[in-house]
Every structure is written in C-alpha cells, then in structure tokens.
Amino acid sequence: MTPSNFLATLRAQIDSALAACLDEVRGRYSAGSAEPIVEEVIRATLPKGGRIRPLLCCLGYAAVRGENEAADPRIVKAAASLELLHSFAIIHDDVMDGSPMRRGEPSIHRRLADERRAAGGRDAELHGVSLAILAGDLALVISDLLFAESGFPQEVLVQAYEPLSAMRLDAIAGQYLDLTHSGAAVEDVELTSRIARLKTGSYSVEGPLMVGATLGGGSVGAKQALQAYGRPLGEAFQLADDLLGLFGDPAATGKDAENDIRRGKPTALIARAMARAEPRARQLILEIWGHPNTTEGDLAALRAAVKGSGAVDEVASEIGRLISEATRAVEDAERHGLPPGPSLLLCELAQAVLGRARI
C-alpha cells in the first residue's frame, strides 16, 4: 500500500469512529429533545476536514510500535477524539473572531442567528452565539468521553493526559495572545512565532504526535525524535496558513480571507513584511491591516505591498528550511528506534505542508 493510500484508509477509519461515537451521543440526547445541539457538533465535525491531528496521533503511535499498529481500534478512537477537540476549538474561534465562514459554509453562530431571525425570533445574534458556545462545549465533552472510552488501560490514559493537557493549555495561551494582539499590524516577529508555536506547533502537530507516542509506550529517544520532527513542522504549517490566509482562494480554503485582515490578526507574514517594506508600503499595510471596512481594492493593494516587500519569498524559504529540518529528524528512523514505514509517512505529510505553501 502506498503512503497516500495508507493515509486515506486511516482517515476513513477515523471518520467511522467519529460517526459511531456521535451517533451514540445523538441517541442519548434524542429522548430529551436536545438532539439538535448534537447535530451542530456532527455538522462541524463529520463532513469535511483534513483530520491532520488524528492522523498525526495515529502516526505517533505507529512510529513507536510499527506501521501495522496504526489501525489499532484503540488508537483510532483516541485519535478521533482530537478531531472533536478541534471542533470545539474552531466553533469557539469562529465566535471570538466573528468569522462568517468555515469550510466553505456559514459558521455555526452565523447560520443559527440567521435562522432565528428568519423565523421571527428575537435576540438572533445572541441566540446564534449562545448555541455555538454550547455546541463547542459539547464537542469538548464528547472528545473527553471518546478518549476515556478508547480501550487503553487506565494507567496509559493517565500518562497520555499529560501531552493532551499540554496541547490544550498551549492552544488557549496562543488564542489569548492572538486576541490581545489583534487589531493592527504587529511588527514583532518573535511574538507571532510564539503564537504559532502555541496555537499550531503544539496543538496541531507536536501534541497529537506525543499523545500517540505516549499511548504506544514510546521510548525517550523515539519521543525526542518525534518532537524534533513536530516542532519545525508545526511552525511551517502555520507559516503556510499565513500565506493561504492572504493569497489563498477562499473557495479552496473554505475561509473568508478578508476576515483576518479586517480583524488585524497577528501573523509572521505581516510582521516580516512590516520589517522589510519601504516606508510607503509599510504605511499602506498599517492602514489596511485591521481596518474593519476592507475593500477588494484594499486587499489587492495589501497583497502587492506584502509581496513587494520580499516577505512572501522569505516565508516560503523558511517553510522549506523547516520542512527539511522536520524530515531529517525522522529520516534515519532506525537510529532513533523508529520503524521505517511510519517515518516515510511522516516525511510525506511534511512534503504535503510544503505543497500547501505554494501559492
């Protein structure tokens, strides 16, 4: 089986575990007429998503136990719980960011508010936000439930809660910094890197790998190799996301590209552009980034200013360097006590991030 086919099969198994879990929870709620709130979690979780966190969790497990172990039903369930954790995060993120779109569709709080308004109900905006927060809370509870019921011995689950808790704490810290520094073009590259390490590096890449490796009983050396892979990959993932956020096609990304611009989200791309841009271009970035009434013309001018600063080429080069660093960490698998099969899969995932960054 090729790496791509292997990942596709694993993704399908994760999807099946999610569907079974959510169907069971829906059954619990149907008697109390609260089933619609479960449907919101299902809507946020099942139809789309790359499953990057569950896949990395399974690969972390396989990397310390062998490729054939990746489909162990226990790790598939534990890994699937991370997708529900992500549903919790994105539902709440959309509320905090006021995002109108998610994965090509209206975000939950926006759609529920519109439905309430169309039905003649009062307080439509508050209604949409309230139910979205509740749906996010429910996704987090179901995530914990699926993880606890994955089938691993209790003592193993307790050990794995350490990296699981760390990635959740880091995500909250990163979101706090993201929110408190939004509103204007941030020039501090170190700050934007810190936010990326917390929100993406730890939460999206390193954390899931460590959860899987811990559930698999990985050695200290194996975990260190996976960390050396996960840290640069997480940073590269966020840098690629920065590029897509400004230059990507919303039809492909499923996100409103202008929303981050209007809110002035702190990104390494903009920080680097501010450091490199000529005074006139720098002033233009300051005027547009974080302005609530961004127009199509503003967006075009901003893109030209950022690209003209050389920041895009610098970020693309940095992504390539980080991907090479991540790949080297797991290429010599046997030296770290890692099976070669999963290491090849990790290298393929790293290359996928590099391809994602080619705008």
Side-chain angles (χ1 to χ4, degrees):
M1 183 180 293
T2 66
S4 296
N5 289 340
F6 180 85
L7 292 174
T9 300
L10 190 54
R11 186 180 287 110
Q13 291 169 330
I14 291 166
D15 285 348
S16 294
L18 285 168
C21 172
L22 289 167
D23 190 57
E24 180 183 344
V25 174
R26 178 167 48 192
R28 296 184 190 182
Y29 271 64
S30 61
S33 302
E35 188 177 348
I37 195 63
V38 186
E39 295 294 342
E40 294 301 334
V41 178
I42 292 172
R43 189 171 189 148
T45 305
L46 290 187
K48 298 178 181 178
R51 308 294 189 238
I52 183 66
R53 294 156 196 86
L55 286 173
L56 283 168
C57 184
C58 287
L59 290 178
Y61 186 80
V64 300
R65 294 182 66 90
E67 184 174 346
N68 293 334
E69 296 290 331
D72 180 338
R74 299 176 303 170
I75 192 58
V76 170
K77 284 185 177 181
S81 76
L82 299 187
E83 190 66 23
L84 285 158
L85 173 64
H86 189 52
S87 293
F88 148 76
I90 61 174
I91 292 170
H92 283 193
D93 278 3
D94 285 346
V95 170
M96 288 183 273
D97 294 343
S99 299
M101 300 289 292
R102 170 66 65 173
R103 293 172 177 167
E105 297 181 356
S107 51
I108 288 179
H109 71 280
R110 179 77 275 133
R111 177 176 48 78
L112 292 175
D114 290 344
E115 290 175 358
R116 176 81 160 190
R117 190 178 294 106
R122 297 180 179 178
D123 298 324
E125 296 301 320
L126 178 61
H127 176 80
V129 166
S130 298
L131 287 187
I133 291 173
L134 191 61
D137 291 344
L138 179 59
L140 180 60
V141 171
I142 301 172
S143 172
D144 282 343
L145 179 68
L146 185 56
F147 190 82
E149 295 181 350
S150 59
F152 285 101
Q154 188 65 32
E155 61 272 17
V156 174
L157 289 174
V158 169
Q159 292 171 4
Y161 262 109
E162 182 177 346
L164 178 60
S165 297
M167 63 183 274
R168 301 202 296 191
L169 290 169
D170 284 350
I172 291 170
Q175 181 70 352
Y176 169 78
L177 291 173
D178 183 271
L179 290 170
T180 55
H181 292 282
S182 291
V186 171
E187 303 178 45
D188 188 342
V189 175
E190 175 52 37
L191 171 65
T192 59
S193 295
R194 190 182 314 131
I195 294 171
R197 284 194 296 269
L198 292 167
K199 285 192 68 175
T200 305
S202 175
Y203 166 69
S204 295
V205 180
E206 185 180 347
L209 280 169
M210 289 299 99
V211 170
T214 302
L215 289 171
S219 66
V220 172
K223 289 181 181 179
Q224 287 175 340
L226 291 174
Q227 284 179 319
Y229 165 86
R231 285 173 182 163
L233 181 63
E235 188 173 349
F237 190 91
Q238 183 57 56
L239 288 174
D241 207 48
D242 290 350
L243 288 173
L244 287 172
L246 185 56
F247 295 97
D249 179 2
T253 64
K255 294 178 66 178
D256 177 7
E258 295 179 29
N259 192 60
D260 283 355
I261 299 170
R262 288 191 295 268
R263 289 187 53 80
K265 305 292 280 185
T267 73
L269 177 62
I270 294 300
R272 289 169 188 249
M274 289 288 290
R276 297 174 60 102
E278 296 294 330
R280 183 176 297 180
R282 176 186 167 87
Q283 184 59 36
L284 186 146
I285 295 170
L286 281 170
E287 290 173 357
I288 296 175
W289 195 259
H291 195 286
N293 298 314
T294 303
T295 66
E296 286 296 326
D298 291 334
L299 181 58
L302 178 68
R303 284 173 170 160
V306 171
K307 188 166 279 190
S309 73
V312 172
D313 291 338
E314 182 181 319
V315 166
S317 177
E318 180 68 3
I319 290 171
R321 185 192 68 77
L322 289 165
I323 294 301
S324 294
E325 181 182 339
T327 302
R328 285 196 303 271
V330 291
E331 272 182 337
D332 189 3
E334 293 182 2
R335 183 166 64 89
H336 302 294
L338 300 174
S343 296
L344 289 173
L345 291 168
L346 291 171
C347 290
E348 180 175 281
L349 279 180
Q351 291 303 313
V353 172
L354 185 61
R356 187 169 176 263
R358 295 194 177 102
I359 57 173

